[in-house]
Structures are given as C-alpha cells and as structure tokens.
Amino acid sequence: MAVFARRLCHIAVHVPSGQSFARDLQRFFGFQPLAEREADGWRQLALRSGHAVFLVNEGVGNREPLYGVDLRYAVPSATNLCFEVADVGSATRALTPRGCKLLVPPVSVQDVQGAATYTVVSSPAGNVNLTLLERADCRGPFLPGFQSLPSATSSAGISHVDHLTLACTPGSSPTLMRWFHDCLGFRHQPLSPGEDPEVGLEVAAPSGRGGVKLTVLHAPPSSAVPYLVLAESLQGATEQDQIEKFLAHHRGPGLQHVGLYTPNIIEATERVALSGGQVLTPPEGYYQQPGKESQILAAGHEPSKLAEHGILLDGEKGKFLLQVFTKSLLAEDTFFLELIQRQGATGFGEGNIQALWQSVEEQAARGQETKG
C-alpha cells in the first residue's frame, strides 16, 4: 500500500555559502524568513510565502543538516522534498519493501516548541530525496531545532506550490511514474484526450526536430500535494535542448523548476521586474498568433499588459492558464521558478508548453551570440 502524503512541507535547496538564492527569493518573490538554524558549518534558512516554503541550506559542513540529506552534490541543486505523513514508522515499513533506501532512519527531535519525527528515503529521480515528516506535536512556526524569525507579511501573492517539474533522462518517465504511484499514490493526469500514460504528451519543437515529452501526475484528491511533472527530451534534436542542458549542467536528473501559484500573476510579475528579477521573453510573434488577442480578452486581460511582462496565456471554453518563467536562479543554470495563475484550468496548456520550449531555446541562442 502506498504512503499517503498529506501535504508538501518544504523544498530543500543546497547552495554554497554566500550565493544569492535565499536573498533572491525574498527580493524578487516576496518570501519572508520563517526560521533558521546554524550548526556544523551549515546555515539553514526557511522562507515562506503563503503555504510555499523553501529550506535553503548554505555551507560546506561535514555533517548532514537537519531534516534532509547532504549528498555532497557536485553543483547547487534542489535536493529534497519534504512531505507530511501521519505516521513515519508506518511509512517506513510500507516503503522499505518497495526498494526505497533509508538514507536517514526514523529520528525524533524536540525542543520547547514541540516534537517531530522524520525519515529520509531515496527516490529514482536523480539526487532528489524525500523527507517524510510527522509533526502533529510540533507547535512552532517551523520545526524543532530551528529558531523562529520575525517576518513581515508577504506582499507578492504567492499562495502555494502548484507543481514540481523533474528533468528526466530519455525513456525514464514510465519507471518514475510507476515508482511515484506505488510509493506515494500518484496517478496519471492526461494532458490531452486519450493520452497513453506510457507515452505522455509529446510536444514537438517548432523546428520539427526534437521537443519535450511531459507526463503529469497528481496525488490523491484529499491531499495538498502539488502536481508532479516528468519532462524528458524527444529524440531528433540537432543540438542540446534545455532538458539535455539541465542534465549536463546538473550532472544528472533532478528538480528543474517549481511552479508557484499566484492569484494575480500580473502583480507578481511586476514585483519581479521592479526588484530586478528576469523572466524569459516569449517567442517572437507569440502575441500575434491568430486568435491569441481574442483569447486573452476572453480571459479578462489586456494583450498589451501580458506582452509587457512576458506572460503566456492558453485555454478555451472559459478556462485559462497564465504562466511566466524566470531565468535560472543559480549560476550553474540548474534551477528556475515559474509563476502560474489558473482561471479554471487544471492542465498545463499545450500552446504554452510549446511557447516555453521555444523561448528557452531562443534565450540560449541569444546567450551564445553574446558570448561569441
């Protein structure tokens, strides 16, 4: 029987000391400091906006940090997803027979704010591990062992994590899909009618050479766990695409980006721009596509406003999806964020997927021209 994950608690990111990742979350996206811990050469800082929480681990300590595992990974990386479960012991007993390696056996920690128990298990998704956390007796704003920090009210409008996208090696999506189904109860969510879960949605690159294959998984409806998106390259590209570049820069599969939900994507994107953040530019001619203007107007938005901020829009029959994608937040080009607003849409918009693919490729080409 699969483990039932109640919700996503936090996403852990490991970066060297002094890297600006934590500052960028605050400056560009309105995340506020929640709690911190310093020990054994590590500084751990939890930041929150709405229900979205990042745990930023900075340092080069010789011991693994609390509530996660340091694999001494070669580059900065999002390495751990922490899910709340009802009973860590039961979860461990359920996952071990399924081939999940226990990286940290069940551990109980406590302080004046209460107690929590956690375990860390490996996953087949590259260096991404899962922390399973039981925190019914924890009364603090974060977790035992962390010192609470005063924080202002976030004004960025980020409410929660909408989805997590894993960059996968070609042909690995079916194996990953079965693992997340068997271990955590995730199920396939079709992006197109009649979609074969073993095939997923294949979106060809505008050039007709290569493209991306996406498989979307959803947790049981009663949970507050984000969508999980598996992304892998299609064969036929003449040059490395963004999935292949991620695999090369990251030195293997991993968490490529996190989709952050906002009820007002225009305000959220304006904040990013005014604070100096950078988003990807949509492909040339995106807003001049036949029917795009009427589609944007039908969704209640001004085409010029979306174009000003590089916001993509897709949808039909009164259900729309708006998205904007940031440039990498790590120098190694191994992680970026997405802002997403749903107006009734539950999918990911095939037109937006193709536009994202093209915009990333064009951005990379411009970067190469600049270097040349």
Side-chain angles (χ1 to χ4, degrees):
M1 183 176 179
V3 171
F4 177 73
R6 291 176 168 176
R7 65 184 183 92
L8 175 69
C9 298
H10 62 260
I11 301 161
V13 182
H14 284 70
V15 298
S17 296
Q19 194 163 104
S20 64
F21 183 79
R23 294 193 298 273
D24 290 346
L25 287 177
Q26 297 175 73
R27 181 173 46 168
F28 302 149
F29 305 100
F31 279 77
Q32 296 295 322
L34 177 64
E36 68 176 352
R37 173 181 180 267
E38 293 190 36
D40 304 317
W42 289 94
R43 178 177 186 252
Q44 296 181 273
L45 177 64
L47 301 114
R48 179 178 63 191
S49 181
H51 294 289
V53 178
F54 282 94
L55 178 60
V56 182
N57 298 317
E58 297 183 356
V60 290
N62 294 322
R63 297 177 60 187
E64 61 195 32
L66 194 65
Y67 301 111
V69 163
D70 170 33
L71 293 181
R72 295 292 182 268
Y73 204 66
V75 295
S77 176
T79 62
N80 186 275
L81 303 175
C82 179
F83 295 102
E84 182 178 331
V85 297
D87 187 303
V88 165
S90 296
T92 303
R93 290 190 292 273
L95 292 179
T96 302
R98 299 178 183 275
C100 294
K101 181 180 178 182
L102 286 183
L103 301 176
V104 177
V107 178
S108 295
V109 290
Q110 64 180 15
D111 62 12
V112 295
Q113 299 183 93
T117 302
Y118 72 97
T119 188
V120 183
V121 301
S122 63
S123 86
N127 70 324
V128 177
N129 300 308
L130 308 180
T131 295
L132 305 179
L133 176 71
E134 178 186 339
R135 52 165 296 167
D137 297 324
C138 184
R139 299 177 298 277
F142 191 56
L143 295 168
F146 283 77
Q147 180 180 356
S148 300
L149 296 173
S151 62
T153 301
S154 172
S155 60
I158 304 298
S159 62
H160 63 275
V161 175
D162 179 86
H163 62 275
L164 306 159
T165 297
L166 298 172
C168 311
T169 54
S172 66
S173 293
T175 299
L176 291 174
M177 178 179 64
R178 285 190 287 272
W179 188 89
F180 280 101
H181 172 270
D182 293 345
C183 294
L184 292 178
F186 279 83
R187 296 188 178 276
H188 173 241
Q189 174 164 312
L191 289 172
S192 60
E195 179 184 314
D196 184 342
E198 293 290 318
V199 176
L201 175 68
E202 296 184 349
V203 180
S207 63
R209 298 175 179 174
V212 64
K213 168 187 169 180
L214 297 178
T215 306
V216 176
L217 309 177
H218 68 87
S222 56
S223 75
V225 174
Y227 292 107
L228 186 64
V229 183
L230 309 178
E232 63 177 70
S233 297
L234 295 177
Q235 300 299 314
T238 55
E239 297 180 356
Q240 274 191 334
D241 58 41
Q242 59 258 38
I243 301 296
E244 292 170 329
K245 288 176 180 175
F246 174 91
L247 295 176
H249 294 167
H250 188 259
R251 306 185 191 181
L255 186 63
Q256 181 208 34
H257 78 268
V258 171
L260 299 174
Y261 188 86
T262 173
N264 192 322
I265 196 169
I266 293 177
E267 288 186 2
T269 307
E270 284 178 342
R271 177 195 175 100
V272 173
L274 289 173
S275 56
Q278 294 181 308
V279 300
L280 291 180
T281 304
E284 186 176 353
Y286 174 80
Y287 299 100
Q288 285 73 50
Q289 296 177 83
K292 180 58 67 176
E293 181 177 356
S294 59
Q295 185 184 47
I296 293 173
L297 291 172
H301 298 282
E302 289 294 330
S304 60
K305 196 71 172 176
L306 297 194
E308 177 185 352
H309 296 295
I311 298 171
L312 307 176
L313 182 143
D314 202 3
E316 59 182 354
K317 298 179 181 179
K319 297 181 179 181
F320 301 97
L321 181 75
L322 296 93
Q323 297 164 283
V324 68
F325 304 86
T326 75
K327 294 184 179 180
S328 179
L329 297 182
L330 300 174
E332 294 76 8
D333 199 21
T334 51
F335 186 77
F336 65 91
L337 293 175
E338 170 188 343
L339 299 178
I340 183 169
Q341 178 184 342
R342 297 181 181 275
Q343 294 180 197
T346 57
F348 286 88
E350 185 172 348
N352 280 6
I353 294 168
Q354 192 166 31
L356 167 64
W357 188 264
Q358 187 174 349
S359 63
V360 173
E361 296 302 309
E362 291 179 356
Q363 188 69 47
R366 286 193 290 269
Q368 289 298 321
E369 292 174 0
T370 302
K371 292 177 182 178

